[in-house]
Amino acid sequence: MPLEIIRNDITKVEADAIVNTANPEVAYGAGVDSAIYAAAGAEELLAERAKIGRMVPGAAAVTPAFKLSAKYIIHTVGPVWQGGDHGEAETVASCYRNALNLAKENDCESIAFPLIATGTYGFPKDLALKIAIAEISSFLFENDMTVYMVVYDKEAFVLSGKLFSDVTEYIKENEILQRQEREYPTESSYPFAKRRRRLLDAAANVREREPRLEQTVFDALSESMSPDLLLSELDDYQELSSPINMSVDASAGAIVDASADAIGIDERLKNKGATFQESLFRIIDRKGLKDSVVYKKANIDRRLFSKIKSNVDYKPSKQTVLAFAIALELNLDETLDLLGRAGMTLSKSSEFDIIMEYCIDNRITNIMDINCILFDHDQPLLGA
């Protein structure tokens, strides 16, 4: 994926460029700076660093990487935290911008960053992360490069704010509900998806065969899905040719398919819906979005996007499907439908799925913010 948060020692990350939080003077200090000098070969690297001379905060310069697996080390100087009123945030942003532009000038396909200035310089980690994500995201929207945000350990990745506490509380609430449902199972937990599928089957046939039921069907549909999802689903079912005997369950307001068992396998296969790939590009076209906007917002590599576009039967991972759902700003029903096209769903017993449901319900559409939440909970990230 274009931007990935990983836990590792930055000196062991395989990337074309490794970013060093450098000492402004021709010397090396503690933390990341010391580790990079030690791994690259301190004497050789210091000699190259001497050619650069003194560096001002926010500046960036490049040297060979010597014994590291990278091609280059990009040195940048962060600010000393003085309370936030001395331009520290803009200086950190400049560090990321200048390092990324240097990597681009040197034809790097990948670059690895630490959280700049959060060690001995004392810059707050949560603010540093927000700045890093914003600058990297802005760069990736215009450029193709793989960027790694490298976090050494759990303690180095400290998130604060209401969003993260809300997600944690939401997970706990779902765990309580799961226990209650196991202890007190009721018919009210009958899968909504199955009822919706029956409604869609009915809607596809009702226009010509049973006009008297048309209003009943569409009233039920309007209560359970968005216009975009309804249009997408009806597109799949408009070619159905087998008549379905329908009746109205007045107490439940549902349409009952009385002849489903009589339809054979061959007939069902003829009437299968759109694949994940077909549905994805139908949604993109309906929303009038450019492909490049979609795959960049989804944190999807351009080459993978091209592969998906050329293969109608492409089988995606759940993270890829959800990345597109977030990028396209789908609601929960629309997301479940897109997942269903790939043979998946969201489970109330999966922490990853619960977090994703929370983000979709709360209209959190910045995939980098979501990936920070997922990373904080030790879950796989979105994108590919």
Side-chain angles (χ1 to χ4, degrees), residues 39-49 51 63-73 75:
E43 188 175 331
E44 292 175 301
L45 182 54
L46 194 59
E48 285 294 322
R49 174 69 180 81
K51 297 176 183 178
T63 67
F66 298 106
K67 295 178 183 177
L68 293 177
S69 60
K71 297 177 183 176
Y72 307 105
I73 298 172
H75 306 264

mmCIF file of all heavy atoms in Angstrom, residues 39-49 51 63-73 75:
data_model
loop_
_atom_site.group_PDB
_atom_site.id
_atom_site.type_symbol
_atom_site.label_atom_id
_atom_site.label_comp_id
_atom_site.label_asym_id
_atom_site.label_seq_id
_atom_site.Cartn_x
_atom_site.Cartn_y
_atom_site.Cartn_z
ATOM 1 N N ALA A 39 24.450 1.632 12.418
ATOM 2 C CA ALA A 39 24.122 0.593 11.438
ATOM 3 C C ALA A 39 24.766 0.872 10.076
ATOM 4 O O ALA A 39 25.159 -0.060 9.357
ATOM 5 C CB ALA A 39 22.610 0.488 11.287
ATOM 6 N N ALA A 40 24.882 2.149 9.713
ATOM 7 C CA ALA A 40 25.427 2.500 8.393
ATOM 8 C C ALA A 40 26.947 2.479 8.384
ATOM 9 O O ALA A 40 27.572 2.245 7.331
ATOM 10 C CB ALA A 40 24.925 3.873 7.972
ATOM 11 N N GLY A 41 27.547 2.703 9.531
ATOM 12 C CA GLY A 41 29.012 2.863 9.611
ATOM 13 C C GLY A 41 29.297 4.300 9.988
ATOM 14 O O GLY A 41 29.294 5.184 9.112
ATOM 15 N N ALA A 42 29.513 4.559 11.270
ATOM 16 C CA ALA A 42 29.569 5.927 11.791
ATOM 17 C C ALA A 42 30.648 6.780 11.130
ATOM 18 O O ALA A 42 30.406 7.941 10.768
ATOM 19 C CB ALA A 42 29.765 5.886 13.305
ATOM 20 N N GLU A 43 31.844 6.230 10.937
ATOM 21 C CA GLU A 43 32.955 7.027 10.404
ATOM 22 C C GLU A 43 32.683 7.488 8.974
ATOM 23 O O GLU A 43 32.861 8.669 8.632
ATOM 24 C CB GLU A 43 34.243 6.204 10.468
ATOM 25 C CG GLU A 43 35.490 6.996 10.132
ATOM 26 C CD GLU A 43 36.764 6.184 10.320
ATOM 27 O OE1 GLU A 43 36.771 5.267 11.184
ATOM 28 O OE2 GLU A 43 37.749 6.478 9.615
ATOM 29 N N GLU A 44 32.257 6.563 8.128
ATOM 30 C CA GLU A 44 31.982 6.918 6.723
ATOM 31 C C GLU A 44 30.818 7.891 6.617
ATOM 32 O O GLU A 44 30.872 8.872 5.863
ATOM 33 C CB GLU A 44 31.662 5.654 5.920
ATOM 34 C CG GLU A 44 32.841 4.712 5.737
ATOM 35 C CD GLU A 44 32.425 3.434 5.042
ATOM 36 O OE1 GLU A 44 31.540 2.731 5.571
ATOM 37 O OE2 GLU A 44 32.980 3.156 3.950
ATOM 38 N N LEU A 45 29.750 7.631 7.386
ATOM 39 C CA LEU A 45 28.569 8.486 7.305
ATOM 40 C C LEU A 45 28.874 9.890 7.834
ATOM 41 O O LEU A 45 28.414 10.887 7.257
ATOM 42 C CB LEU A 45 27.415 7.855 8.094
ATOM 43 C CG LEU A 45 26.081 8.614 8.066
ATOM 44 C CD1 LEU A 45 25.638 8.873 6.631
ATOM 45 C CD2 LEU A 45 25.007 7.822 8.809
ATOM 46 N N LEU A 46 29.629 9.986 8.898
ATOM 47 C CA LEU A 46 29.953 11.295 9.452
ATOM 48 C C LEU A 46 30.789 12.116 8.471
ATOM 49 O O LEU A 46 30.642 13.350 8.374
ATOM 50 C CB LEU A 46 30.699 11.137 10.777
ATOM 51 C CG LEU A 46 30.815 12.403 11.641
ATOM 52 C CD1 LEU A 46 29.440 12.944 11.992
ATOM 53 C CD2 LEU A 46 31.613 12.107 12.913
ATOM 54 N N ALA A 47 31.655 11.444 7.722
ATOM 55 C CA ALA A 47 32.461 12.145 6.716
ATOM 56 C C ALA A 47 31.560 12.748 5.629
ATOM 57 O O ALA A 47 31.787 13.878 5.168
ATOM 58 C CB ALA A 47 33.473 11.182 6.094
ATOM 59 N N GLU A 48 30.538 12.016 5.209
ATOM 60 C CA GLU A 48 29.581 12.542 4.221
ATOM 61 C C GLU A 48 28.736 13.658 4.822
ATOM 62 O O GLU A 48 28.433 14.648 4.156
ATOM 63 C CB GLU A 48 28.671 11.415 3.722
ATOM 64 C CG GLU A 48 29.327 10.459 2.763
ATOM 65 C CD GLU A 48 29.704 11.128 1.449
ATOM 66 O OE1 GLU A 48 28.932 11.989 0.957
ATOM 67 O OE2 GLU A 48 30.778 10.799 0.910
ATOM 68 N N ARG A 49 28.373 13.466 6.070
ATOM 69 C CA ARG A 49 27.560 14.495 6.750
ATOM 70 C C ARG A 49 28.343 15.800 6.864
ATOM 71 O O ARG A 49 27.761 16.902 6.777
ATOM 72 C CB ARG A 49 27.174 13.962 8.136
ATOM 73 C CG ARG A 49 26.440 14.946 9.041
ATOM 74 C CD ARG A 49 25.037 15.257 8.531
ATOM 75 N NE ARG A 49 24.381 16.200 9.422
ATOM 76 C CZ ARG A 49 24.570 17.522 9.396
ATOM 77 N NH1 ARG A 49 25.389 18.057 8.492
ATOM 78 N NH2 ARG A 49 23.934 18.326 10.245
ATOM 79 N N LYS A 51 30.235 17.099 4.693
ATOM 80 C CA LYS A 51 30.143 17.824 3.416
ATOM 81 C C LYS A 51 28.892 18.697 3.348
ATOM 82 O O LYS A 51 28.857 19.676 2.601
ATOM 83 C CB LYS A 51 30.137 16.832 2.261
ATOM 84 C CG LYS A 51 31.415 16.012 2.141
ATOM 85 C CD LYS A 51 31.283 14.972 1.026
ATOM 86 C CE LYS A 51 32.522 14.085 0.947
ATOM 87 N NZ LYS A 51 32.397 13.036 -0.104
ATOM 88 N N THR A 63 22.586 11.630 1.778
ATOM 89 C CA THR A 63 23.906 10.997 1.712
ATOM 90 C C THR A 63 23.713 9.541 1.287
ATOM 91 O O THR A 63 22.591 9.020 1.347
ATOM 92 C CB THR A 63 24.619 11.014 3.082
ATOM 93 O OG1 THR A 63 23.896 10.173 3.992
ATOM 94 C CG2 THR A 63 24.742 12.416 3.636
ATOM 95 N N PRO A 64 24.796 8.863 0.900
ATOM 96 C CA PRO A 64 24.688 7.411 0.676
ATOM 97 C C PRO A 64 24.316 6.707 1.982
ATOM 98 O O PRO A 64 24.513 7.249 3.073
ATOM 99 C CB PRO A 64 26.093 7.017 0.220
ATOM 100 C CG PRO A 64 26.714 8.277 -0.272
ATOM 101 C CD PRO A 64 26.149 9.368 0.572
ATOM 102 N N ALA A 65 23.814 5.489 1.877
ATOM 103 C CA ALA A 65 23.374 4.743 3.064
ATOM 104 C C ALA A 65 24.438 3.759 3.568
ATOM 105 O O ALA A 65 24.244 3.136 4.615
ATOM 106 C CB ALA A 65 22.077 3.999 2.762
ATOM 107 N N PHE A 66 25.501 3.594 2.817
ATOM 108 C CA PHE A 66 26.615 2.726 3.212
ATOM 109 C C PHE A 66 26.151 1.311 3.565
ATOM 110 O O PHE A 66 25.661 0.606 2.704
ATOM 111 C CB PHE A 66 27.431 3.381 4.332
ATOM 112 C CG PHE A 66 28.065 4.686 3.896
ATOM 113 C CD1 PHE A 66 27.556 5.904 4.337
ATOM 114 C CD2 PHE A 66 29.130 4.691 3.011
ATOM 115 C CE1 PHE A 66 28.118 7.111 3.904
ATOM 116 C CE2 PHE A 66 29.699 5.887 2.575
ATOM 117 C CZ PHE A 66 29.185 7.095 3.023
ATOM 118 N N LYS A 67 26.270 0.884 4.817
ATOM 119 C CA LYS A 67 25.988 -0.508 5.167
ATOM 120 C C LYS A 67 24.504 -0.829 5.325
ATOM 121 O O LYS A 67 24.144 -1.998 5.490
ATOM 122 C CB LYS A 67 26.711 -0.868 6.466
ATOM 123 C CG LYS A 67 28.228 -0.831 6.353
ATOM 124 C CD LYS A 67 28.885 -1.143 7.691
ATOM 125 C CE LYS A 67 30.401 -1.035 7.596
ATOM 126 N NZ LYS A 67 31.048 -1.264 8.914
ATOM 127 N N LEU A 68 23.664 0.161 5.281
ATOM 128 C CA LEU A 68 22.222 -0.094 5.351
ATOM 129 C C LEU A 68 21.738 -0.714 4.042
ATOM 130 O O LEU A 68 22.380 -0.576 3.001
ATOM 131 C CB LEU A 68 21.448 1.208 5.610
ATOM 132 C CG LEU A 68 21.655 1.877 6.968
ATOM 133 C CD1 LEU A 68 20.869 3.182 7.025
ATOM 134 C CD2 LEU A 68 21.207 0.953 8.092
ATOM 135 N N SER A 69 20.583 -1.367 4.083
ATOM 136 C CA SER A 69 20.029 -1.958 2.858
ATOM 137 C C SER A 69 19.457 -0.890 1.932
ATOM 138 O O SER A 69 19.171 -1.158 0.770
ATOM 139 C CB SER A 69 18.940 -2.978 3.214
ATOM 140 O OG SER A 69 17.894 -2.361 3.941
ATOM 141 N N ALA A 70 19.263 0.322 2.440
ATOM 142 C CA ALA A 70 18.737 1.429 1.637
ATOM 143 C C ALA A 70 19.813 1.972 0.689
ATOM 144 O O ALA A 70 21.019 1.702 0.854
ATOM 145 C CB ALA A 70 18.237 2.536 2.555
ATOM 146 N N LYS A 71 19.378 2.756 -0.296
ATOM 147 C CA LYS A 71 20.312 3.443 -1.190
ATOM 148 C C LYS A 71 20.782 4.758 -0.571
ATOM 149 O O LYS A 71 21.936 5.160 -0.727
ATOM 150 C CB LYS A 71 19.640 3.737 -2.534
ATOM 151 C CG LYS A 71 19.218 2.519 -3.329
ATOM 152 C CD LYS A 71 18.501 2.948 -4.606
ATOM 153 C CE LYS A 71 17.994 1.743 -5.393
ATOM 154 N NZ LYS A 71 17.213 2.176 -6.590
ATOM 155 N N TYR A 72 19.846 5.438 0.108
ATOM 156 C CA TYR A 72 20.133 6.769 0.620
ATOM 157 C C TYR A 72 19.682 6.921 2.070
ATOM 158 O O TYR A 72 18.747 6.254 2.519
ATOM 159 C CB TYR A 72 19.413 7.847 -0.201
ATOM 160 C CG TYR A 72 19.661 7.781 -1.687
ATOM 161 C CD1 TYR A 72 18.682 7.285 -2.550
ATOM 162 C CD2 TYR A 72 20.863 8.233 -2.231
ATOM 163 C CE1 TYR A 72 18.903 7.223 -3.921
ATOM 164 C CE2 TYR A 72 21.093 8.175 -3.596
ATOM 165 C CZ TYR A 72 20.105 7.660 -4.440
ATOM 166 O OH TYR A 72 20.339 7.610 -5.785
ATOM 167 N N ILE A 73 20.347 7.840 2.763
ATOM 168 C CA ILE A 73 19.842 8.356 4.035
ATOM 169 C C ILE A 73 19.496 9.817 3.797
ATOM 170 O O ILE A 73 20.330 10.594 3.293
ATOM 171 C CB ILE A 73 20.900 8.251 5.156
ATOM 172 C CG1 ILE A 73 21.266 6.792 5.406
ATOM 173 C CG2 ILE A 73 20.365 8.893 6.441
ATOM 174 C CD1 ILE A 73 22.449 6.613 6.352
ATOM 175 N N HIS A 75 18.703 13.133 5.652
ATOM 176 C CA HIS A 75 18.845 13.745 6.964
ATOM 177 C C HIS A 75 17.944 14.980 7.043
ATOM 178 O O HIS A 75 17.976 15.829 6.141
ATOM 179 C CB HIS A 75 20.302 14.165 7.195
ATOM 180 C CG HIS A 75 21.282 13.054 7.005
ATOM 181 N ND1 HIS A 75 21.772 12.297 8.046
ATOM 182 C CD2 HIS A 75 21.868 12.567 5.872
ATOM 183 C CE1 HIS A 75 22.610 11.399 7.579
ATOM 184 N NE2 HIS A 75 22.694 11.540 6.260
#
